[in-house]
C-alpha cells in the first residue's frame, strides 16, 4: 500500500533528508587515498548520532554497518572494512539512510578518490544525469513507469547497463515502502504519482553488462564483468509544484 504523507509529515522526512545530505557532504570531503571504508563508516555514525539521528542501515536485516561503501565494480551494499583502503583512481558509492524523529531520509553519492580516469567520470556524470531525468518525471499524474523510462533512456546512448534486480522505493516511516521505483519502465505504466508521495529514485548504472554477482558475505553485489558502476540517489516528494528533492546537498 502506498502511503500519502501530510505536509507536516513531509517536513519530518525533509529533516531526516537534510541530515542524510549533511552526512554525505561531510564524507565526500573525507574521501581520499589511504582512508579505509571502515573509517568512513565510523565518521558517518558519529556524525549522525551527534545530531540526534539513527543510522537506519545498521542492524537492518542483519546489515553490520552505517554505510554501504561500494568501490569500483561493487554496485551496491559493500560492507565497510578496515582492510578496504581507498586508492587514487577508485570510485566509491556511499549509500546512507538516516532516521530522525521516526522518519527516514535516503541518499547515495558516487565520487572519485583523488583523480580518476575520464571513463569513470563520464559514468558518474551520466548516472547523475539519469537521476535528474527521472526526477523531472516525478510529477502529479505521471507514473512510476515514466520515471524508469526516463532513467534508462538517458544512459542507453552511452551503452551502459541498468540493474534490474535492485530498484528505488517509497520511503517515510519505513526505509522501504511501496511503490517500487525501477530504473527502467514503460511510460504510462505502474502506480500513478500523487501529491504527498515520498520516493527514492536511485539509478544503479554499470559501465558494461548489467549482470551481477552477490558476494559470499550475502550483501555486496559486484558486476559480473568486473567493470565499474555508479549509484546516485535522492529522496523526493511529489508536490503540486513539481518534484521536491529532500536530500539535496549544498
Amino acid at each position: 500500500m502506498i502511503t500519502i504523507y501530510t505536509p507536516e509529515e513531509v517536513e519530518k522526512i525533509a529533516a531526516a533528508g537534510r541530515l542524510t545530505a549533511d552526512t554525505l557532504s561531510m564524507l565526500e570531503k573525507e574521501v581520499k587515498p589511504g582512508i579505509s571504508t571502515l573509517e568512513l563508516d565510523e565518521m558517518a555514525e558519529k556524525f549522525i548520532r551527534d545530531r540526534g539521528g539513527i543510522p537506519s542501515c545498521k542492524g537492518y536485516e542483519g546489515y553490520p554497518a552505517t554505510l554501504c561503501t561500494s568501490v569500483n565494480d561493487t554496485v551496491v551494499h559493500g560492507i565497510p572494512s578496515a582492510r578496504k583502503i581507498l586508492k587514487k583512481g577508485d570510485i566509491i558509492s556511499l549509500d546512507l539512510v538516516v532516521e530522525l524523529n521516526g522518519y527516514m531520509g535516503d541518499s547515495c553519492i558516487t565520487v572519485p578518490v583523488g583523480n580518476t580516469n575520464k571513463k569513470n567520470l563520464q559514468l558518474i556524470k551520466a548516472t547523475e544525469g539519469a537521476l535528474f531525468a527521472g526526477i523531472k518525471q516525478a510529477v502529479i499524474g505521471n507514473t512510476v513507469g515514466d520515471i524508469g523510462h526516463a532513467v534508462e533512456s538517458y544512459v542507453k546512448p552511452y551503452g551502459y547497463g541498468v540493474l534490474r534486480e535492485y530498484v528505488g522505493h517509497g520511503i517515510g516511516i519505513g526505509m522501504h515502502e511501496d511503490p517500487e521505483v525501477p530504473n527502467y519502465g514503460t511510460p504510462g505504466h505502474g502506480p500513478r504519482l500523487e501529491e504527498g508521495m515520498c520516493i527514492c529514485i536511485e539509478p544503479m548504472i554499470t559501465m558494461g553488462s548489467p549482470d551481477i554477482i552477490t558476494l559470499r558475505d550475502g550483501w555486496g553485489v559486484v558486476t559480473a564483468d568486473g567493470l565499474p558502476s555508479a549509484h546516485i540517489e535522492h529522496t523526493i516528494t511529489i508536490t503540486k509544484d513539481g518534484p521536491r528533492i529532500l536530500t539535496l546537498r549544498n
Side-chain angles (χ1 to χ4, degrees), residues 83-100:
R83 297 188 299 274
K84 189 65 176 179
I85 307 298
L86 298 182
K87 306 184 301 296
K88 182 180 178 181
D90 288 342
I91 59 174
I92 181 171
S93 299
L94 302 169
D95 192 6
L96 175 67
V97 185
V98 173
E99 178 182 344
L100 184 67

Side-chain angles (χ1 to χ4, degrees), residues 11-73:
E11 292 309 317
K12 292 178 181 180
I13 298 168
R18 283 192 294 274
L19 181 51
T20 305
D22 289 347
T23 307
L24 290 175
S25 292
M26 177 275 294
L27 290 171
E28 184 175 11
K29 296 173 184 176
E30 299 296 334
V31 169
K32 55 179 70 76
I35 197 167
S36 74
T37 54
L38 181 61
E39 288 176 283
L40 293 172
D41 188 76
E42 291 170 342
M43 291 177 189
E45 181 171 6
K46 185 177 188 303
F47 188 92
I48 293 163
R49 293 194 187 279
D50 284 352
R51 288 157 181 79
I54 298 171
S56 301
C57 290
K58 193 165 190 177
Y60 179 76
E61 295 186 354
Y63 189 75
T66 292
L67 295 174
C68 294
T69 52
S70 303
V71 181
N72 296 331
D73 64 336

Side-chain angles (χ1 to χ4, degrees), residues 29 33 53 55 68 71 80 93 99 101 103 136 145 162 169 173 176 198-199 203 205 224 226 229 246:
K29 296 173 184 176
C68 294
V71 181
S93 299
E99 178 182 344
N101 298 321
Y103 292 83
K136 189 175 180 180
V162 176
H169 50 88
I173 58 174
H176 294 124
C198 294
I199 60 174
I205 308 300
S229 67
L246 304 181

